[in-house]
Amino acid sequence: MRGEGSAFYSLGAIANLGDDSLPSEFAAFNERGARAIVSVTPSKLAHVLNTARQYNVAAQELGQVTRDSSFRIEHKGRAVIDSSIETLRDAWAHSLERILTSR
């Protein structure tokens, strides 16, 4: 599906949630306090992390943007989400409509 924002369809992401003791669904979807994801070029990563440390703000590298239209989240060394951006966008954009028209 192309259209508004189509330049972003060629982008993807890979993220690693680490190896903490939480179950994967909590590591991926648990909402604990305020969080923000900041996307920076690799050359600026150290500066962003140093600035966060200077202001006593917890920050870590989570992953990277890719150019392969896929979205992958890993936890404890295995993929817990691995899908195309288009598949995820379709589920987000049309799931309510599908549920309502299937009844």
Side-chain angles (χ1 to χ4, degrees), residues 5-81:
S6 63
F8 294 107
Y9 282 98
S10 62
L11 297 178
I14 184 166
N16 189 323
L17 301 179
D19 293 326
D20 59 25
S21 62
L22 291 173
S24 297
E25 59 273 16
F26 285 99
F29 300 108
N30 187 20
E31 296 181 20
R32 296 178 287 171
R35 295 182 187 178
I37 294 179
V38 178
S39 181
V40 298
T41 61
S43 65
K44 302 219 182 203
L45 177 61
H47 178 71
V48 169
L49 293 174
N50 286 334
T51 301
R53 194 171 16 259
Q54 176 184 347
Y55 290 96
N56 211 19
V57 173
Q60 68 184 46
E61 181 179 4
L62 182 65
Q64 55 189 256
V65 174
T66 63
R67 294 188 183 271
D68 64 358
S69 302
S70 68
F71 185 77
R72 181 179 174 100
I73 295 179
E74 297 175 352
H75 183 242
K76 297 181 181 177
R78 68 178 187 90
V80 294
I81 297 174

Side-chain angles (χ1 to χ4, degrees), residues 75-94:
H75 183 242
K76 297 181 181 177
R78 68 178 187 90
V80 294
I81 297 174
D82 192 359
S83 187
S84 73
I85 296 293
E86 184 59 31
T87 299
L88 294 171
R89 185 193 179 291
D90 181 66
W92 169 80
H94 302 290

